[in-house]
Amino acid sequence: MTLAEAEEYTRTLAHTHYENFPVVTKLLPRDLRQPFYNVYAFCRWADDLGDEVESSEESLSLLAWWRSGLEDCLNNRAQHPVYVALGHTIRQRNVPPDLFHDLISAFERDQRQTRYETFADLQSYCVQSANPVGRILLHLAEAANDETLRLSDDVCTGLQLINFWQDVHRDLQIGRVYLPQEDLNRYGVNESDLAHGRSTPAFQRLLAFQVDRAEQLLLSGGPLGQRVPRNIRFDIRLFALGGLHLCDKIRQIDYRVLEQRPKLSKADLLSLAWKATTGTGFRK
């Protein structure tokens, strides 16, 4: 497969999957759009190999195959279209390969670990599953330094957490509970409460605590939108603001995420786009 054919494949993949936020916006510089598509395609494939396969054993086998493809990619022997495109991006943009290995490790961890005893344990998962994405994007934009990487980690962990709290019911259906066991115990919530699909007062208090926790991380990383080059500020702000708006969406339904899944509407995205353009919306 030629590079042009591989890049067409990753673009098509990015345009045909629903995500909370657009993978690439029209305000993103043209020279960054294809690299973003290539990284997205890598993540999309790894995610599907982890979540769209019937057994954990099969998922782990397929993820091992995906990791071997990454090694071939890094050694300029790529065969898969995603890796043909991604290999060009990694070499062109000098992106640290370990970040891609970390993402695969997170998907493997999902097959082996379905419960988290402490919040620190959950954070360690986010270090592999979420933070590498922000770091990769900063490297693509040549905007990676100690400060931006730290702020990006806060935004990415905050986004990962609020996505967990948005999807408590969905995750439970595939056997995963990301709510830390120590917090379930503290608030007097057990898994049978979650399985019944009713948001009890105790669950609502628990989720309010978790939403506040995610929001604080998003706000802590908010200054990232001022620390990166102007040509990527819109996209960075849009992601962070989207996470904050999901916090508000969950509050608006009184934390009843077991009964309904909050998500961003087209009107929400338009409002967020305006705030990202003007640099407003980071309250508190």
Side-chain angles (χ1 to χ4, degrees), residues 99-204:
L99 296 172
F100 297 95
H101 278 294
D102 285 345
L103 288 167
I104 296 176
S105 294
F107 292 116
E108 291 172 336
R109 186 170 173 177
D110 264 333
Q111 305 309 312
R112 300 186 175 104
Q113 183 176 2
T114 60
R115 303 294 187 276
Y116 294 83
E117 285 298 322
T118 66
F119 181 63
D121 193 20
L122 184 60
Q123 280 183 303
S124 74
Y125 171 78
C126 294
V127 167
Q128 291 182 311
S129 68
N131 296 3
V133 176
R135 288 174 170 248
I136 289 168
L137 299 185
L138 288 176
H139 281 286
L140 293 180
E142 299 181 340
N145 58 55
D146 288 346
E147 182 185 25
T148 58
L149 291 171
R150 175 181 59 79
L151 293 171
S152 174
D153 286 349
D154 281 351
V155 170
C156 290
T157 294
L159 285 171
Q160 177 80 90
L161 292 176
I162 202 59
N163 285 337
F164 286 154
W165 313 149
Q166 174 190 34
D167 284 331
V168 173
H169 181 66
R170 282 189 177 186
D171 289 332
L172 186 64
Q173 290 180 316
I174 57 174
R176 296 177 191 160
V177 177
Y178 291 102
L179 290 160
Q181 298 296 304
E182 64 180 3
D183 295 333
L184 288 168
N185 294 334
R186 182 181 303 126
Y187 284 88
V189 178
N190 57 53
E191 288 194 24
S192 65
D193 296 327
L194 306 181
H196 285 140
R198 295 191 302 271
S199 300
T200 64
F203 174 81
Q204 289 169 285

Side-chain angles (χ1 to χ4, degrees), residues 25 60 94 147 156 205 215 263 280:
T25 71
L60 287 169
N94 197 29
E147 182 185 25
C156 290
R205 289 191 293 271
E215 181 181 67
K263 62 181 182 179
T280 59

Side-chain angles (χ1 to χ4, degrees), residues 27 40 50 88 95-96 102 112 116 126 192 198-199 205 208-209 221 230 235-236 253 283:
L27 294 183
Y40 171 82
H88 176 72
V95 183
D102 285 345
R112 300 186 175 104
Y116 294 83
C126 294
S192 65
R198 295 191 302 271
S199 300
R205 289 191 293 271
F209 171 71
R230 289 184 179 277
D235 292 81
I236 296 295
I253 62 170
R283 69 235 186 252

Side-chain angles (χ1 to χ4, degrees), residues 37-110:
Y37 290 135
N38 299 342
V39 171
Y40 171 82
F42 166 85
C43 296
R44 182 73 268 156
W45 259 81
D47 191 28
D48 287 348
L49 293 176
D51 284 351
E52 302 300 326
V53 179
E54 290 191 4
S55 74
S56 293
E57 291 76 13
E58 187 178 0
S59 284
L60 287 169
S61 176
L62 288 169
L63 287 166
W65 163 75
W66 194 240
R67 193 187 291 277
S68 70
L70 175 60
E71 289 293 346
D72 287 342
C73 164
L74 297 174
N75 288 290
N76 208 19
R77 300 192 304 265
Q79 298 294 318
H80 193 284
V82 169
Y83 282 132
V84 171
L86 184 66
H88 176 72
T89 293
I90 291 173
R91 289 185 289 274
Q92 183 186 51
R93 302 281 174 167
N94 197 29
V95 183
D98 286 352
L99 296 172
F100 297 95
H101 278 294
D102 285 345
L103 288 167
I104 296 176
S105 294
F107 292 116
E108 291 172 336
R109 186 170 173 177
D110 264 333

